[in-house]
Amino acid sequence: MTGALARIRVAVAGAPPWLLAVCAMLSIQLGAAWSVPIIQTIGPAGAGWLRLLAASVMFLTIARPKLRQVRKKDVPVLVGLGISTAVMTLALFAAIDRIPLGTAVAVEFLGPLAVAAIGGRDWKRIVWPFVALAGVILMTEPWHGRVDLVGVAFAALAAAGWGGYIVLTQLVGDRFEGFTGLAITIPIATLVATPMGIAGSWGKIDLTVVVLTFGVAIANPVLPYMLELLALRRMDRAAFGTLVALEPAAGLLMGAIILAQMPDLIQIVGIGIVIVAGTVAQRWGSRTTSPDDGVDGEGEFDEDAAPFTGPIMIG
C-alpha cells in the first residue's frame, strides 16, 4: 500500500463510508470551482491540459505502472479511455468558462444517466434521462433568452465524454487493479490534450499557475479516488451509485459558495429533478461486484487488489 493512501486510511478509518463518498464528491466539485481562476488566466484548454499533466505526475508517482503487463488487446481500450477523459475534462472546462458550474455539471450528468438507462434490461428506465433533461431545461431557463448555447453544447460534449468514460472504465477495471488504470490512461489523456493545451496557454503559464493547478489536481482526481476506494470497501455499489446522483447538487453548492453563482428557485427545482432521476436510474443500474472487491482474506483493504472503478468524475 502506498504511503499516501496508508496515511489517509488511518486518518479516516472511523468515518462512515457514505461520508467518504460525499467528501470525494465535494472534493471533485471544489476542484472544478478552484479551476475557474486558472481558466480565466490561461484559458479552458490550457487549464484542462495542465491539470491532466499534474494528475499524471501524481498517479505515475503513486502507481508506477508496469507497461510490459499491458497486452496488445488492452491498448484500444486504454487509448479510448484516455481520449474520453481528455474530452470530458476539456469540454467541462470550456463549459464552466461560459455557464454556471451547477448547470454545467447537471448537463454533464446526462451522460452517465443515459448509460445507466440504456445499459439496463428494463425499457422503462429510458424515461429517466428525459426527466433529468426537463430538470436541465429548468436550470438553463431558455425562455429568458439568456442561455449560452455554446456553453451548454460544451457541457453536452462533456456528458458524452463522461458516458464513454464510464463504459470504458468498466472494461479497464476488468483488466487492471488499483491505481494502475488511472496511471496509464491519465497520461494518455494528457497527450491527447497537449496540442490544444499548449496552443491555448502559450506564454500565459507561470509558477503560480503551476502550483495552483497541482493543488487542484489533488482535489480532483487524486484525493477523491483514494476516498472512493476506502468508501467502496464498506458499502455496496448500489448505495454508492445512489450517492453519485448528488453530483449536480455538489456542483451547485460549490458554485454558490466559491463562485457566488446563486441559483433561483426554478433552478433549485431543476437540480432536484435531476437528482431524483439520477437516484432512480443508479439504483436500477448497479453493477454486480466481483468477488475480488479489494478486501483481502483478513478483511483488510488492499488497493493493489481493488478493482479500478475510476472516480465519480474526473472532469
Side-chain angles (χ1 to χ4, degrees), residues 106-304:
V107 174
E108 188 187 27
F109 190 65
L110 294 175
L113 188 55
V115 170
I118 295 172
R121 298 177 181 177
D122 189 343
W123 66 268
K124 295 179 181 179
R125 288 169 50 190
I126 201 69
V127 72
W128 294 109
F130 293 98
V131 173
L133 180 61
V136 168
I137 292 174
L138 290 179
M139 292 193 67
T140 56
E141 298 181 325
W143 50 84
H144 289 315
R146 63 190 184 196
V147 59
D148 188 323
L149 293 178
V150 176
V152 172
F154 275 125
L157 180 60
W162 195 2
Y165 171 85
I166 289 173
V167 173
L168 293 171
T169 290
Q170 291 183 346
L171 296 177
V172 171
D174 293 335
R175 307 178 189 187
F176 298 92
E177 299 172 340
F179 292 102
T180 303
L182 281 176
I184 296 174
T185 58
I186 296 296
I188 293 174
T190 303
L191 291 175
V192 172
T194 294
M196 290 176 287
I198 293 179
S201 61
W202 185 260
K204 302 175 184 177
I205 298 177
D206 57 24
L207 182 59
T208 300
V209 169
V210 172
V211 171
L212 289 174
T213 302
F214 268 81
V216 168
I218 292 173
N220 178 23
V222 177
L223 180 60
Y225 188 75
M226 291 179 174
L227 291 175
E228 287 169 25
L229 286 178
L230 295 173
L232 283 167
R233 176 193 175 192
R234 291 181 282 157
M235 67 189 304
D236 60 52
R237 297 298 176 93
F240 185 81
T242 301
L243 287 175
V244 169
L246 298 176
E247 188 84 47
L252 192 71
L253 178 64
M254 289 302 166
I257 294 175
I258 306 297
L259 305 174
Q261 297 172 342
M262 303 303 297
D264 57 30
L265 180 58
I266 292 179
Q267 290 174 317
I268 292 174
V269 172
I271 202 74
I273 292 174
V274 173
I275 291 170
V276 170
T279 300
V280 176
Q282 293 287 354
R283 290 294 292 183
W284 287 355
S286 59
R287 190 185 189 206
T288 303
T289 55
S290 63
D292 184 11
D293 62 355
V295 180
D296 65 22
E298 298 179 353
E300 291 297 317
F301 180 77
D302 179 5
E303 124 268 356
D304 290 327

